[in-house]
Amino acid sequence: MADTIVVTGAAGYIGSHTLIELLKEGKYTVLAIDNYSNSKAETYNRVRQITGKEFETANIDLCNYEALLKSTAHLDKIAGIIHFAAYKSVPESVAKPLLYYHNNLETLTNVLRLCEEKAIRRFIFSSSCSVYGNTSDLPVTETTPVQKAESPYAHTKQIGEDIVNAFALANSGFNAVLLRYFNPVGAHPTGLIGELPQNRPNNLVPIITQTAVGKNQLTVFGNDYSTRDGSCIRDYIHVCDIADAHTRALDYLAEEKNNMPVSLFNLGTGHGVSVLEAIRAFEKVSGASLPYHIGPRRAGDVEAIYADNRLARTELDWTPQYTIDDMMRTAWKWQQTIEKESA
Ligand code: UD1
């Protein structure tokens, strides 16, 4: 039997797209763990439909270490863990900091404890460009100094990286890749899976697609920034490109290409896109005109951030494939699936 990869947060947005990549590759068997706090178990059926492959699932709250241990007791050899499970809303983290510190850090320490107990040597951690804080050093490289976190969410990612580094220092033979995602958007090209916010979304692209179907109202948060059109600039990256980077990161560790126990990569396209440009890209691919109004700046927003992605390109042999138009086209297709299914 092939070695197993444990994927936590596997029913979530990035987790489910990565599950597809892993199953398509077929190098490993997969144990998919989630507690469906911000996802649905039904997503797994879509993953099975897309890939034609089977995999094991477990409904586990990772804050419960005993449950985690039990769910993996039957597995002979775990080749690695990809740890996605975490809360991810910036505004919610500002309103409920303890929830974020508790959940995001306890789940991480429990998963690392499992690595220690079962001698699991490969680990991939979902980090975020939000660790860079409000930096004026653009594009950001992996050596750009990390600034003060702008939210408890971002702080949990900074602390999370520190925890993985400390753990690697104390456990020789343990190797990790930290992936700093920029702004993951878009959906699987089949239109079968995508981001499934359980509550009102806070992120731009789901708000754009919901606005286009009359379920939300888009406010552009500020048009007085020192950018080319006054709106904020971000590095939007297709979720399937992010997923692809995870299987490459696993290969990188399996082939022992890493020079250090912990490697760090930015995952962005390298291109900044303004909020108004993103809206125009959506209008172009959907053929719809999107109503929006300009509102005040949103607290905690950084003016502009985009990646220098050369390290991931060379070390992981990773090349983002999707353009901003593809991102909007697939997000729109996914919104139409949601509409059809809720009709
Ligand atoms: C932030 C984090 C990112 C994290 C993500 C998780 C930073 C720099 N980035 O992304 O690492 O993974 O949260 O949720 O902290 N906007 C509007 N109107 C809206 C919604 C958004 O104008 O209704 C604008 C925002 O001001 C921003 C851009 O759209 O300029 C993207 O916002 P959003 O999708 O919320 O992501 P970030 O806050 O950039």
Side-chain angles (χ1 to χ4, degrees), residues 274-331:
S274 75
V275 176
L276 294 172
E277 288 164 352
I279 292 172
R280 275 197 294 278
F282 176 80
E283 290 184 320
K284 186 172 94 185
V285 302
S286 66
S289 144
L290 197 69
Y292 66 87
H293 74 272
I294 307 288
R297 294 180 176 198
R298 180 172 69 174
D301 262 341
V302 304
E303 177 170 282
I305 189 160
Y306 51 95
D308 180 327
N309 65 8
R310 283 176 297 176
L311 200 62
R313 283 178 180 270
T314 52
E315 294 291 306
L316 300 180
D317 193 23
W318 174 75
T319 310
Q321 304 291 328
Y322 293 81
T323 63
I324 187 72
D325 287 0
D326 299 329
M327 298 178 210
M328 292 299 175
R329 198 175 289 115
T330 54

Side-chain angles (χ1 to χ4, degrees), residues 2-180:
D3 293 348
T4 301
I5 297 293
V6 174
V7 181
T8 74
Y13 178 42
I14 305 176
S16 57
H17 288 81
T18 302
L19 214 50
I20 292 173
E21 289 301 313
L22 274 172
L23 294 165
K24 268 192 345 205
E25 262 198 347
K27 289 186 189 164
Y28 303 98
T29 56
V30 175
L31 170 62
I33 296 181
D34 210 297
N35 67 349
Y36 316 117
S37 65
N38 191 26
S39 62
K40 287 192 172 148
E42 159 60 20
T43 299
Y44 290 143
N45 293 332
R46 313 285 175 98
V47 170
R48 292 186 177 103
Q49 192 182 337
I50 293 167
T51 62
K53 302 267 179 70
E54 253 317 313
F55 55 95
E56 193 191 339
T57 67
N59 178 352
I60 303 285
D61 181 344
L62 295 172
C63 289
N64 181 345
Y65 181 68
E66 296 311 318
L68 172 62
L69 192 59
K70 215 168 133 198
S71 73
T72 56
H74 63 293
L75 296 172
D76 268 356
K77 185 140 188 283
I78 300 176
I81 300 187
I82 308 182
H83 180 52
F84 292 107
Y87 292 156
K88 62 168 186 177
S89 161
V90 171
E92 188 183 47
S93 80
V94 174
K96 300 176 184 170
L98 297 184
L99 187 72
Y100 274 68
Y101 285 110
H102 177 257
N103 181 72
N104 288 4
L105 300 180
E106 177 142 28
T107 53
L108 173 63
T109 51
N110 278 345
V111 169
L112 289 173
R113 195 174 153 197
L114 187 78
C115 291
E116 197 162 45
E117 187 148 350
K118 295 183 81 85
I120 301 165
R121 295 157 69 94
R122 295 176 204 139
F123 187 73
I124 298 177
F125 177 63
S126 301
S127 189
S128 159
C129 71
S130 60
V131 301
Y132 292 111
N134 222 333
T135 182
S136 51
D137 218 352
L138 295 175
V140 285
T141 72
E142 289 78 357
T143 53
T144 300
V146 159
Q147 307 284 337
K148 184 181 169 300
E150 292 288 320
S151 69
Y153 161 78
H155 199 200
T156 66
K157 293 300 177 185
Q158 290 181 342
I159 300 170
E161 290 192 356
D162 289 346
I163 291 173
V164 175
N165 276 304
F167 182 83
L169 209 59
N171 291 271
S172 96
F174 174 86
N175 293 285
V177 171
L178 312 176
L179 296 174
R180 289 179 176 165

Side-chain angles (χ1 to χ4, degrees), residues 88 128 183 202-204 207 219 221 232 234 236 298 301:
K88 62 168 186 177
S128 159
N183 284 56
N202 298 303
N203 295 115
L204 179 65
I207 293 174
T219 302
F221 295 140
C232 286
R234 295 288 182 274
Y236 299 95
R298 180 172 69 174
D301 262 341

Side-chain angles (χ1 to χ4, degrees), residues 173-233:
F174 174 86
N175 293 285
V177 171
L178 312 176
L179 296 174
R180 289 179 176 165
Y181 312 150
F182 279 66
N183 284 56
V185 298
H188 197 266
T190 56
L192 285 171
I193 64 166
E195 188 159 21
L196 201 55
Q198 298 299 293
N199 302 310
R200 226 177 152 69
N202 298 303
N203 295 115
L204 179 65
V205 175
I207 293 174
I208 286 180
T209 57
Q210 286 190 354
T211 300
V213 295
K215 283 188 173 165
N216 212 327
Q217 285 185 332
L218 175 62
T219 302
V220 173
F221 295 140
N223 68 348
D224 56 353
Y225 286 98
S226 310
T227 58
R228 49 186 175 261
D229 61 19
S231 65
C232 286
I233 289 182

